[in-house]
Amino acid sequence: MTRYDVIVIGVGAMGSATVYQLARRGLRVLGLEQFDIPHDRGSSHGTNRIIRLAYWEHPSYVPLLRRAYELWREIEHVSGDRLLVITGSVDAGPEESPTVRGSLRSCALHHLYHETLDADALHARYPGYRLAPEMVAVYQPDGGFVMSERSIVAYVNAAHDAGADVRAREPVLGWEAHGDGVRVRTARDTYAASKLVLTAGAWAGTLVPDLARLAVPERQVLIWTQPRRPERFRLDTFPVFNMEAAEGRFYGFPAYGVPGFKFGKYHHRGEVTDADRVDREIHPEDEAVLREGIRRYFPDADGPTMALKPCLFTNSPDEHFIVDVHPGLPQVSIAAGFSGHGFKFASVVGEIMADLATAGGTRFDLGLFRLARFNG
Ligand SMILES: Cc1cc2nc3c(=O)[nH]c(=O)nc-3n(C[C@H](O)[C@H](O)[C@H](O)COP(=O)(O)OP(=O)(O)OC[C@H]3O[C@@H](n4cnc5c(N)ncnc54)[C@H](O)[C@@H]3O)c2cc1C
């Protein structure tokens, strides 16, 4: 049986960065992926993902983000590919909304340069935006997006160069603790390792049954529309955004990489699902939910459809991540439940998972992400 120092199950966003970080530390590492690398059946396809520093969700994310930015620049350098694109970011909503208050709190606590603009001022500067009159925007210049599939490719290429063994189309059927190590059984073989890292995204609950209620897959749909006024939705005229509106939470990007303005709604139509049985067809109701937001807040983008794609969130009960050592098995660590906002952190999660697998701890504060918070 082939033996490794560490096996990583799932080579998507978190797994690809983890395999690289382990391999560059000189460890014998195996990354196992059930589909192709990259693929479009998990959570990481669709060209790009927003990165923003004025993190409304909780100020504890900001130190992780600072390190994530450094590591995105590092993998860009290693790969020679443009992976992190800065456009500035807008966090918008009513003045007293959790989004605006949370974003301002992170700015204040971490001394982040920002500006607060009302709806008219935002429109004057970035005419693609038409916020409702009661909304304000926190503009932060470091926001932007990360190229998602290309980052996974960059990490896997760099992992190969550092000596990692990565195997696609090799689903893991089961794993078990064996002495103080692990054994992992796939559709092709059985492998042994001293440590195991689980980065299985929407399939976390299949590999660790206790996670089934803590990392719950949810169907999402993204749209790309050709703007009626394309000059208002370019990299230099349109910052990425995250918006708390009366209809729900919307997010979007300038046109880049593929045709069209990219737009989504968090929790889309609230469809909890199973990662192996998710409805991958697109229905008229999917487009209707998205067009409602575009028409109201970005009317100049309300042109012909360029693409519609399904994707998966994996939600934890409080929508904070799960990044921890397995409670009963110190040789196993878990990164799961990224709740629709994890990609931007993949670079630093890779470093943290390598720390957990090699040292059992990390210099980063994981207090918000511990499994024990769900006890009882
Ligand atoms: C529509 C949409 C928009 C989003 N927008 C943003 C955004 O703007 N900014 C942001 O930061 N985040 C965003 N996110 C969230 C972010 O994309 C996810 O948090 C992140 O991609 C999760 O990464 P992951 O590694 O956990 O999952 P994945 O990248 O899906 O990787 C998990 C991998 O594990 C593999 N796997 C699972 N089980 C097995 C097995 N048994 N054997 C072998 N392999 C296995 C899967 O095939 C998969 O490749 C968005 C998500 C979606 C769906």
Side-chain angles (χ1 to χ4, degrees):
M1 191 185 309
T2 322
R3 197 178 168 89
Y4 293 87
D5 295 319
V6 188
I7 295 175
V8 178
I9 304 182
V11 186
M14 309 302 161
S16 61
T18 303
V19 171
Y20 168 66
Q21 290 290 347
L22 287 163
R24 70 183 297 206
R25 294 180 193 194
L27 292 154
R28 272 175 58 81
V29 50
L30 170 66
L32 291 166
E33 168 56 47
Q34 62 185 341
F35 301 131
D36 292 329
I37 299 172
H39 65 85
D40 65 0
R41 291 200 255 178
S43 302
S44 299
H45 57 285
T47 308
N48 50 10
R49 293 289 186 270
I50 291 170
I51 184 164
R52 49 192 163 81
L53 197 51
Y55 223 64
W56 71 268
E57 287 89 339
H58 199 284
S60 301
Y61 287 93
V62 178
L64 292 176
L65 282 160
R66 289 195 192 282
R67 181 64 180 148
Y69 273 87
E70 286 175 7
L71 290 169
W72 287 123
R73 288 299 183 209
E74 185 190 288
I75 188 64
E76 260 189 332
H77 181 71
V78 169
S79 67
D81 197 3
R82 188 181 187 196
L83 300 174
L84 172 60
V85 179
I86 301 301
T87 60
S89 63
V90 163
D91 288 296
E95 208 160 349
E96 294 305 312
S97 61
T99 303
V100 170
R101 288 174 62 109
S103 175
L104 289 173
R105 185 166 165 240
S106 281
C107 288
L109 279 171
H110 293 284
H111 311 291
L112 305 178
Y113 177 81
H114 67 283
E115 292 172 65
T116 307
L117 304 171
D118 66 17
D120 288 342
L122 188 69
H123 176 67
R125 193 184 296 184
Y126 301 114
Y129 281 86
R130 303 263 185 179
L131 298 187
E134 72 278 10
M135 287 176 156
V136 297
V138 181
Y139 171 77
Q140 208 287 323
D142 297 301
F145 56 83
V146 182
M147 302 302 289
S148 51
E149 292 97 328
R150 275 164 51 182
S151 295
I152 293 171
V153 171
Y155 272 127
V156 170
N157 284 337
H160 277 146
D161 289 346
D165 192 354
V166 180
R167 300 180 185 214
R169 292 192 175 241
E170 188 160 346
V172 170
L173 305 177
W175 64 272
E176 58 184 13
H178 195 261
D180 56 4
V182 290
R183 281 200 180 159
V184 174
R185 189 168 51 87
T186 74
R188 290 174 191 239
D189 213 336
T190 300
Y191 306 95
S194 307
K195 297 282 166 55
L196 179 65
V197 178
L198 296 164
T199 49
W203 289 264
T206 315
L207 290 165
V208 181
D210 285 348
L211 287 179
R213 69 181 178 88
L214 302 178
V216 180
E218 184 191 10
R219 178 178 177 272
Q220 307 296 307
V221 174
L222 286 160
I223 191 169
W224 285 256
T225 62
Q226 178 56 19
R228 293 202 250 235
R229 303 201 54 179
E231 73 282 6
R232 295 186 164 187
F233 297 89
R234 289 194 320 242
L235 279 189
D236 56 341
T237 57
F238 192 87
V240 297
F241 73 88
N242 167 56
M243 173 197 286
E244 190 174 327
E247 299 83 355
R249 180 179 297 284
F250 297 116
Y251 58 94
F253 305 65
Y256 188 78
V258 294
F261 162 66
K262 178 178 171 182
F263 184 84
K265 182 180 185 188
Y266 274 85
H267 302 307
H268 190 56
R269 292 165 56 212
E271 297 163 285
V272 169
T273 187
D274 174 306
D276 289 318
R277 278 174 276 276
V278 56
D279 177 6
R280 295 186 187 275
E281 296 298 314
I282 301 292
H283 307 283
E285 302 87 308
D286 292 317
E287 180 158 356
V289 160
L290 299 167
R291 286 281 174 185
E292 181 188 24
I294 295 176
R295 265 180 214 127
R296 176 146 189 217
Y297 302 105
F298 304 94
D300 296 328
D302 193 27
T305 300
M306 295 290 105
L308 279 152
K309 286 185 198 297
C311 192
L312 286 166
F313 277 6
T314 309
N315 300 315
S316 77
D318 59 8
E319 298 193 6
H320 294 304
F321 309 154
I322 296 167
V323 180
D324 207 349
V325 174
H326 187 291
L329 299 169
Q331 68 270 49
V332 179
S333 35
I334 298 166
F338 287 93
S339 306
H341 63 118
F343 197 96
K344 62 182 81 61
F345 296 91
S347 58
V348 66
V349 169
E351 185 168 77
I352 291 170
M353 299 318 287
D355 291 345
L356 295 182
T358 54
T362 177
R363 69 188 167 96
F364 297 98
D365 178 7
L366 300 184
L368 202 57
F369 309 133
R370 296 283 183 207
L371 272 163
R373 72 188 191 273
F374 302 119
N375 288 352

